[in-house]
Structure formats: C-alpha cells, structure tokens
Coordinates of all heavy atoms in Angstrom, one line a residue:
G1 N 0.8 -1.2 0.0 CA 0.0 0.0 0.0 C 0.8 1.3 0.0 O 0.2 2.3 -0.2
R2 N 2.1 1.2 0.3 CA 3.0 2.4 0.3 C 4.1 2.2 -0.8 O 4.5 3.3 -1.4 CB 3.7 2.4 1.7 CG 2.8 2.5 2.9 CD 3.6 2.8 4.1 NE 4.4 1.8 4.5 CZ 5.9 1.9 4.6 NH1 6.4 3.0 4.4 NH2 6.6 0.8 5.0
F3 N 4.5 1.0 -1.1 CA 5.5 0.9 -2.2 C 4.9 0.3 -3.4 O 4.0 -0.5 -3.4 CB 6.6 0.0 -1.7 CG 7.5 0.5 -0.6 CD1 7.2 1.7 0.1 CD2 8.6 -0.2 -0.2 CE1 8.0 2.2 1.1 CE2 9.5 0.3 0.8 CZ 9.1 1.5 1.5
T4 N 5.5 0.7 -4.6 CA 5.1 0.2 -5.9 C 6.3 -0.2 -6.7 O 7.2 0.6 -6.9 CB 4.2 1.1 -6.6 OG1 3.0 1.5 -5.8 CG2 3.7 0.6 -8.0
I5 N 6.4 -1.4 -7.2 CA 7.5 -1.8 -8.0 C 7.0 -1.9 -9.5 O 5.8 -2.2 -9.8 CB 8.0 -3.3 -7.6 CG1 9.1 -3.6 -8.4 CG2 6.9 -4.3 -7.8 CD1 9.8 -4.9 -7.9
S6 N 7.9 -1.4 -10.4 CA 7.5 -1.5 -11.8 C 8.7 -1.7 -12.7 O 9.8 -1.6 -12.1 CB 6.8 -0.1 -12.2 OG 7.7 1.0 -12.0
R7 N 8.5 -2.1 -14.0 CA 9.7 -2.4 -14.8 C 9.5 -1.8 -16.1 O 8.3 -1.7 -16.7 CB 10.0 -3.8 -14.8 CG 8.9 -4.7 -15.5 CD 9.3 -6.2 -15.4 NE 10.5 -6.5 -15.9 CZ 11.1 -7.7 -15.6 NH1 10.5 -8.5 -14.7 NH2 12.4 -8.0 -16.0
D8 N 10.5 -1.4 -16.8 CA 10.5 -1.0 -18.1 C 11.5 -1.9 -18.9 O 12.7 -1.7 -18.9 CB 11.0 0.4 -18.3 CG 10.8 1.0 -19.7 OD1 10.8 0.2 -20.7 OD2 10.6 2.3 -19.7
N9 N 10.9 -2.9 -19.6 CA 11.8 -3.9 -20.3 C 12.5 -3.3 -21.4 O 13.7 -3.7 -21.7 CB 10.9 -5.1 -20.8 CG 10.4 -5.9 -19.7 OD1 11.0 -6.1 -18.7 ND2 9.0 -6.3 -19.8
A10 N 12.0 -2.4 -22.1 CA 12.8 -1.7 -23.2 C 14.0 -1.0 -22.7 O 15.0 -0.9 -23.4 CB 11.8 -0.7 -23.9
K11 N 14.0 -0.4 -21.5 CA 15.1 0.3 -20.9 C 15.9 -0.6 -19.9 O 16.9 -0.1 -19.4 CB 14.7 1.5 -20.2 CG 14.0 2.5 -21.2 CD 13.5 3.8 -20.3 CE 12.8 4.7 -21.4 NZ 12.4 6.0 -20.6
N12 N 15.4 -1.9 -19.7 CA 16.2 -2.7 -18.8 C 16.3 -2.1 -17.4 O 17.4 -2.1 -16.8 CB 17.6 -3.1 -19.3 CG 17.4 -3.9 -20.6 OD1 16.7 -4.9 -20.7 ND2 18.4 -3.7 -21.5
T13 N 15.2 -1.6 -16.9 CA 15.3 -0.9 -15.6 C 14.0 -1.5 -14.8 O 13.0 -1.8 -15.3 CB 15.2 0.6 -15.7 OG1 14.0 1.0 -16.4 CG2 16.4 1.1 -16.4
V14 N 14.3 -1.5 -13.5 CA 13.2 -1.7 -12.5 C 13.1 -0.5 -11.4 O 14.3 -0.2 -11.1 CB 13.3 -3.1 -11.8 CG1 14.5 -3.2 -11.1 CG2 12.1 -3.4 -11.1
S15 N 12.0 -0.2 -11.0 CA 12.0 0.9 -10.1 C 11.1 0.6 -8.8 O 10.3 -0.4 -8.9 CB 11.3 2.2 -10.7 OG 12.0 2.6 -11.8
L16 N 11.4 1.2 -7.8 CA 10.6 1.2 -6.5 C 10.2 2.5 -6.1 O 11.0 3.2 -5.6 CB 11.4 0.4 -5.5 CG 10.7 0.1 -4.3 CD1 9.6 -1.0 -4.4 CD2 11.6 -0.4 -3.1
Q17 N 8.9 2.7 -6.2 CA 8.4 4.0 -5.8 C 8.0 3.8 -4.3 O 7.1 2.9 -3.9 CB 7.2 4.4 -6.5 CG 6.5 5.7 -6.0 CD 7.3 6.9 -6.2 OE1 7.9 7.1 -7.3 NE2 7.4 7.7 -5.2
M18 N 8.6 4.6 -3.3 CA 8.3 4.5 -2.0 C 7.6 5.7 -1.5 O 8.2 6.8 -1.5 CB 9.6 4.3 -1.2 CG 10.4 3.0 -1.7 SD 11.9 2.7 -0.8 CE 12.9 4.2 -1.1
N19 N 6.4 5.6 -1.0 CA 5.6 6.7 -0.4 C 5.4 6.4 1.1 O 5.5 5.3 1.6 CB 4.3 6.8 -1.1 CG 4.5 7.1 -2.6 OD1 5.4 7.8 -3.0 ND2 3.5 6.6 -3.5
S20 N 5.0 7.5 1.8 CA 4.6 7.4 3.2 C 5.8 6.7 4.0 O 5.5 5.9 4.8 CB 3.4 6.7 3.4 OG 2.3 7.4 2.7
L21 N 6.9 7.1 3.7 CA 8.1 6.4 4.4 C 8.2 6.7 5.9 O 7.8 7.6 6.3 CB 9.4 7.0 3.7 CG 9.8 6.5 2.3 CD1 10.7 7.3 1.7 CD2 10.2 5.1 2.5
K22 N 8.6 5.5 6.6 CA 8.8 5.5 7.9 C 10.2 5.3 8.4 O 10.9 4.9 7.6 CB 7.9 4.5 8.6 CG 6.5 4.4 8.0 CD 5.7 3.2 8.6 CE 4.3 3.1 8.1 NZ 3.6 1.9 8.6
P23 N 10.6 5.8 9.6 CA 11.9 5.5 10.0 C 12.3 4.1 10.0 O 13.5 3.7 9.7 CB 11.9 6.0 11.6 CG 10.8 7.0 11.5 CD 9.8 6.6 10.6
D24 N 11.4 3.2 10.1 CA 11.6 1.7 10.1 C 12.0 1.3 8.6 O 12.5 0.2 8.4 CB 10.4 0.9 10.5 CG 10.2 0.9 12.1 OD1 11.2 1.3 12.7 OD2 9.3 0.5 12.5
D25 N 11.8 2.1 7.6 CA 12.2 1.9 6.3 C 13.6 2.1 6.0 O 14.2 1.8 4.9 CB 11.4 2.6 5.2 CG 9.9 2.3 5.3 OD1 9.6 1.1 5.4 OD2 9.0 3.2 5.2
T26 N 14.4 2.7 7.0 CA 15.8 3.0 6.8 C 16.5 1.7 6.7 O 16.4 0.8 7.5 CB 16.3 3.8 8.0 OG1 15.7 5.0 8.1 CG2 17.8 4.0 8.0
A27 N 17.3 1.6 5.6 CA 18.1 0.4 5.2 C 18.8 0.6 4.0 O 18.6 1.7 3.2 CB 17.1 -0.8 5.1
V28 N 19.7 -0.3 3.6 CA 20.3 -0.4 2.3 C 19.5 -1.2 1.5 O 19.0 -2.3 1.8 CB 21.7 -0.9 2.4 CG1 22.4 -1.1 1.0 CG2 22.7 -0.1 3.3
Y29 N 19.0 -0.7 0.4 CA 18.2 -1.3 -0.6 C 18.9 -2.0 -1.7 O 19.7 -1.3 -2.3 CB 17.1 -0.4 -1.1 CG 16.0 -0.1 0.0 CD1 16.3 0.7 1.1 CD2 14.8 -0.6 -0.3 CE1 15.3 0.9 2.0 CE2 13.8 -0.4 0.8 CZ 14.0 0.4 1.9 OH 13.1 0.7 2.8
Y30 N 18.5 -3.2 -2.0 CA 19.4 -4.0 -3.0 C 18.3 -4.5 -4.1 O 17.2 -4.9 -3.8 CB 19.9 -5.3 -2.4 CG 21.0 -5.0 -1.3 CD1 20.7 -5.0 0.0 CD2 22.3 -4.8 -1.7 CE1 21.7 -4.6 0.9 CE2 23.3 -4.5 -0.8 CZ 23.0 -4.5 0.6 OH 24.0 -4.3 1.5
C31 N 18.8 -4.3 -5.4 CA 18.2 -4.9 -6.4 C 18.6 -6.2 -6.7 O 19.8 -6.5 -6.7 CB 18.3 -3.8 -7.7 SG 17.5 -4.5 -9.2
A32 N 17.8 -7.1 -7.2 CA 18.1 -8.5 -7.5 C 17.4 -9.0 -8.7 O 16.3 -8.6 -9.0 CB 17.8 -9.5 -6.3
A33 N 18.0 -9.9 -9.4 CA 17.5 -10.5 -10.6 C 17.6 -12.0 -10.6 O 18.5 -12.5 -10.1 CB 18.1 -9.9 -11.9
G34 N 16.6 -12.7 -11.1 CA 16.6 -14.2 -11.2 C 16.1 -14.7 -12.5 O 15.2 -14.1 -13.1
G35 N 16.8 -15.8 -13.0 CA 16.3 -16.4 -14.2 C 14.9 -16.9 -14.3 O 14.1 -16.8 -15.1
Y36 N 14.6 -17.6 -13.1 CA 13.3 -18.0 -12.8 C 13.1 -18.2 -11.3 O 13.9 -18.8 -10.6 CB 13.1 -19.6 -13.4 CG 11.7 -20.0 -13.2 CD1 10.6 -19.7 -14.0 CD2 11.5 -20.9 -12.1 CE1 9.4 -20.2 -13.8 CE2 10.2 -21.4 -11.9 CZ 9.2 -21.1 -12.8 OH 7.8 -21.6 -12.6
V37 N 12.1 -17.5 -10.9 CA 11.8 -17.4 -9.4 C 10.4 -18.0 -9.1 O 9.4 -17.4 -9.7 CB 12.0 -16.0 -8.9 CG1 11.7 -15.9 -7.4 CG2 13.4 -15.4 -9.1
S38 N 10.4 -19.0 -8.2 CA 9.0 -19.6 -8.0 C 8.6 -19.0 -6.6 O 7.3 -18.9 -6.4 CB 9.2 -21.1 -7.7 OG 10.2 -21.4 -6.7
D39 N 9.4 -18.6 -5.6 CA 9.0 -17.9 -4.4 C 9.8 -16.6 -4.4 O 11.1 -16.7 -4.1 CB 9.2 -18.7 -3.3 CG 8.7 -18.1 -1.9 OD1 8.5 -17.0 -1.9 OD2 8.4 -19.0 -1.0
Y40 N 9.2 -15.5 -4.6 CA 10.0 -14.2 -4.7 C 10.6 -13.7 -3.4 O 11.4 -12.9 -3.4 CB 9.0 -13.2 -5.2 CG 8.5 -13.4 -6.6 CD1 7.4 -14.0 -6.9 CD2 9.3 -13.1 -7.8 CE1 7.0 -14.4 -8.2 CE2 9.0 -13.3 -9.1 CZ 7.8 -14.0 -9.3 OH 7.4 -14.3 -10.6

C-alpha cells in the first residue's frame, strides 16, 4: 500500500516508488534478478 514496483523492459530498468516512508524503512536497498523465481 506504500511501495510500488514497476519495470521498463525496453530500458532494462526496474523501479521502486516508496511513499509514506517511515523511520523503520531506513536500510540499504538491494536490487536482485533471477532467471526463474518460484518464491519471490
């Protein structure tokens, strides 16, 4: 309800829109890619 993930395949990018941020959201954020993922 606060974050939204999206991708642009043509540009090979993925984004994470983060709204209503809280202090508990403080962290290092990592992007990851998988060839096939059954459990995200």
Side-chain angles (χ1 to χ4, degrees):
R2 300 189 297 121
F3 291 10
T4 302
I5 187 172
S6 61
R7 69 189 303 163
D8 187 334
N9 291 323
K11 298 180 179 179
N12 293 317
T13 59
V14 62
S15 298
L16 184 69
Q17 178 66 46
M18 305 184 294
N19 298 325
S20 301
L21 284 163
K22 307 174 181 179
D24 286 347
D25 294 319
T26 296
V28 175
Y29 284 70
Y30 297 91
C31 176
Y36 184 82
V37 176
S38 59
D39 188 337
Y40 296 93

